[in-house]
């Protein structure tokens, strides 16, 4: 696992850790079952506070990217399926909401595309 933190970059260090681990897990660079370093160990190697790495790990666990197995450690989870299910649930909720608001399908798609462009910086 290779992480690079750019302190002078706009994103907070915990977000950089979260995004890089998430991307590596989704791309397969970190395979399912890969044991991640301890919070303290990763914090020391990156020159970050342990709370910063702990915050990133909590966010990754909430996203289903990693799982903590008690004293056994923290591992890359089979996140693809969990992420797909969560995205489908969110999309269903969005579709129901915009329909109740009376938006046309095209207007709802435009709003979703705008939100995605903003989120992905495109």
């Amino acid at each position: 696992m290779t992480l690079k933190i750019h302190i002078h970059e706009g994103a907070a260090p915990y977000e950089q850790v979260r995004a890089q681990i998430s991307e590596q897990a989704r791309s397969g660079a970190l395979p399912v079952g890969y044991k991640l370093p301890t919070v303290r160990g990763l914090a020391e190697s990156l020159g970050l506070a342990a709370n910063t790495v702990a915050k990133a790990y909590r966010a990754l666990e909430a996203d289903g990217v990693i799982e903590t197995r008690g004293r056994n450690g923290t591992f890359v989870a089979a996140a693809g399926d969990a992420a797909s299910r969560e995205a489908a649930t969110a999309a269903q909720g969005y579709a129901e909401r915009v329909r109740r608001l009376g938006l046309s399908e095209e207007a709802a798609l435009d709003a979703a595309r705008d939100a995605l462009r903003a989120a992905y910086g495109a």
Side-chain angles (χ1 to χ4, degrees):
M1 178 173 78
T2 303
L3 302 178
K4 295 192 190 251
I5 304 303
H6 304 283
I7 300 300
H8 301 293
E9 196 172 286
Y14 92 89
E15 177 57 25
Q16 292 180 49
V17 171
R18 187 211 59 78
Q20 290 178 45
I21 291 175
S22 181
E23 175 56 34
Q24 290 181 31
R26 292 201 192 328
S27 73
L30 293 177
V32 171
Y34 178 86
K35 186 174 182 177
L36 296 171
T38 64
V39 166
R40 187 168 288 150
L42 184 57
E44 286 176 8
S45 72
L46 295 175
L48 298 172
N51 285 341
T52 300
V53 174
K55 185 175 182 179
Y57 274 23
R58 283 191 303 272
L60 288 162
E61 191 157 22
D63 291 345
V65 176
I66 64 173
E67 60 186 7
T68 301
R69 300 179 191 159
R71 292 189 173 274
N72 292 324
T74 303
F75 299 84
V76 173
D81 292 338
S84 295
R85 281 193 305 273
E86 189 168 334
T89 299
Q92 182 63 39
Y94 174 75
E96 291 169 2
R97 178 76 174 137
V98 295
R99 185 167 180 230
R100 282 193 307 270
L101 292 171
L103 268 65
S104 68
E105 183 178 338
E106 189 58 35
L109 286 170
D110 287 343
R113 281 189 202 99
D114 289 345
L116 288 167
R117 281 189 202 103
Y120 285 92

